[in-house]
Amino acid sequence: MMTWQLTLARKAELRRKAGLNRQLRIRGAAVNLLDLAGNDYLGLARHPRVLRAAGDTLNEYGLGATGSRLVNGSTKIHETLEATLSTALGGEALLFSSGYLANLGAIRGLARRGGLLVHDAHAHASLIDGCRLSGVPTTVMPHSDPQTLAAILARHPGPAVVIVESVYSVHGDLAPLRDLYKTCRVAGAILLVDEAHALGMLGPDGAGGVAAAGLSGADNIVITATLSKALASAGGLIVGPRELRRHIIDTGRTFIFDTASPPAVAAGALAAWQIAVDEPHRRATVSRRIVHAAEALGVTVPAAGVLSVPVDDARKAVAWADRCRALGVAVGCFRPPATPDRRSYIRLTANAELSQADFDRAIDLIVRERP
């Protein structure tokens, strides 16, 4: 074994001893698990309308997009999805193949030489990576702290972009978007809001946290989101003014040099969005269930469909998740470095598609197996 392989093996062993090693979880269609780990909050991944839309489009266009959006990967389905989400979210939408690439593209597109990027301490890895790749000086602000943000922006009179999530992916808490926007507006900064866990869940018709805060279409707000959570599909988007969309189409590397999302996937996302609008009871079910789960586990009620329970040791968290899985309930297990505060968590998501009896049984089992 070569020296570099030995080094990697030693690092892997240290992670294993600390309970920080990862493994792939293979999910088959016939696996009999109650799913409180996935992000399909509204239960749309196997909805007949979604599958029919995806299947019809698959038959029409084939499996993949076969090219980038600028070559031959754009279809009427992509355009319709962009137009629909533009109307709903209050800007001009541009579709990417993933939320991760949308975040990288948005930050790079907004960053300015001589400017400053400020991201929340709990920001998602894709947002942090976007800041690192931009080449622009970056400051980390304390979590959801508009007062400290104001002081940071006051020290830097140049162009600034403030980067937050509307609903944070680990703790599930809601950002104080109105206060953050007010602070940014006073300083002339752009507020970039990642709506990954809020799209489909919060606001009128599920339009997200920005809409819920009454800020749709406001000056100097840019939205990013993924279609892989409540809309049970894949892909990402940036929503902002027309000038930003034009700029990213012309210059955005993660847009220009990436193959477009498959048309069938875009069609499924469009159908899922329409169901989310037509069937608000699904959001109500998620909200009701997440309150029950939080009360049963003794944690703060989160803003949308994500709930995390702290565990004082990574190995205990892994063992708890493994026991639940062995007994038929899938839960998430989040550990450093994937957590913003270096703590370990069991993370649950509320799925509207489960029967009430199955959901209650799953929560009872998770509580019973708690270390």
Side-chain angles (χ1 to χ4, degrees):
M1 189 178 293
M2 302 298 291
T3 301
W4 64 271
Q5 293 171 292
L6 290 170
T7 300
L8 294 181
R10 283 194 295 268
K11 290 182 177 181
E13 179 60 15
L14 290 173
R15 291 195 299 271
R16 186 193 65 78
K17 289 180 178 179
L20 300 178
N21 59 312
R22 267 76 175 168
Q23 60 180 326
L24 298 177
R25 297 287 191 182
I26 306 302
R27 183 176 69 91
V31 172
N32 188 25
L33 282 174
L34 300 180
D35 183 13
L36 272 67
N39 292 318
D40 182 18
Y41 312 126
L42 300 179
L44 300 178
R46 301 190 65 82
H47 192 287
R49 282 172 59 185
V50 171
L51 297 182
R52 184 165 57 251
D56 291 346
T57 307
L58 181 66
N59 289 331
E60 181 177 358
Y61 286 98
L63 180 59
T66 75
S68 70
R69 292 289 309 276
L70 296 181
V71 179
N72 65 341
S74 291
T75 67
K76 294 298 292 184
I77 296 295
H78 293 92
E79 287 189 345
T80 301
L81 178 57
E82 287 175 334
T84 300
L85 293 175
S86 293
T87 300
L89 303 185
E92 293 210 4
L94 183 63
L95 188 64
F96 287 69
S97 65
S98 76
Y100 207 111
L101 291 180
N103 277 341
L104 297 185
I107 293 171
R108 185 65 187 89
L110 293 170
R112 293 292 176 267
R113 187 174 300 175
L116 178 71
L117 300 176
V118 183
H119 72 72
D120 190 279
H122 288 196
H124 188 265
S126 59
L127 299 170
I128 296 170
D129 286 352
C131 292
R132 290 173 176 172
L133 292 170
S134 72
V136 172
T138 300
T139 295
V140 180
M141 72 172 182
H143 182 49
S144 291
D145 188 345
Q147 290 74 31
T148 300
L149 173 62
I152 292 171
L153 295 176
R155 293 194 297 269
H156 182 86
V161 181
V162 176
I163 301 160
V164 302
E165 297 176 53
S166 53
V167 174
Y168 283 90
S169 58
V170 175
H171 294 159
D173 55 314
L174 184 67
L177 291 179
R178 290 183 184 177
D179 291 340
L180 290 167
Y181 177 66
K182 181 179 178 181
T183 301
C184 289
R185 189 169 185 179
V186 168
I190 297 169
L191 180 62
L192 173 61
V193 183
D194 182 346
E195 296 265 39
H197 292 276
L199 183 67
M201 293 299 303
L202 300 182
D205 291 335
V210 170
L215 297 172
S216 290
D219 292 339
N220 285 6
I221 284 188
V222 174
I223 291 169
T224 62
T226 177
L227 308 177
S228 63
K229 308 296 194 260
L231 300 188
S233 183
L237 63 148
I238 299 173
V239 183
R242 178 175 305 167
E243 295 79 7
L244 176 62
R245 188 178 192 273
R246 180 72 263 169
H247 176 69
I248 292 176
I249 289 173
D250 287 342
T251 69
R253 295 173 69 85
T254 61
F255 179 81
I256 296 170
F257 299 105
D258 185 49
T259 298
S261 60
V265 172
L270 179 60
W273 171 259
Q274 291 166 340
I275 296 166
V277 171
D278 294 343
E279 300 181 7
H281 66 271
R282 291 177 178 268
R283 284 189 292 280
T285 297
V286 172
S287 297
R288 185 174 63 252
R289 289 179 174 180
I290 211 71
V291 168
H292 168 63
E295 291 174 348
L297 288 158
V299 297
T300 302
V301 176
V306 175
L307 179 151
S308 289
V309 184
V311 186
D312 60 10
D313 182 89
R315 289 162 294 190
K316 290 182 181 179
V318 172
W320 186 9
D322 285 347
R323 288 196 302 274
C324 291
R325 189 177 186 86
L327 294 170
V329 177
V331 298
C333 182
F334 283 24
R335 294 157 290 158
T339 54
D341 52 7
R342 309 295 297 177
R343 300 180 72 187
S344 295
Y345 294 88
I346 291 297
R347 196 185 80 155
L348 316 179
T349 55
N351 187 326
E353 193 67 8
L354 291 178
S355 71
Q356 188 62 50
D358 280 345
F359 184 80
D360 291 343
R361 179 162 61 88
I363 296 301
D364 290 345
L365 185 147
I366 293 166
V367 171
R368 186 176 72 243
E369 296 301 320
R370 188 174 192 170

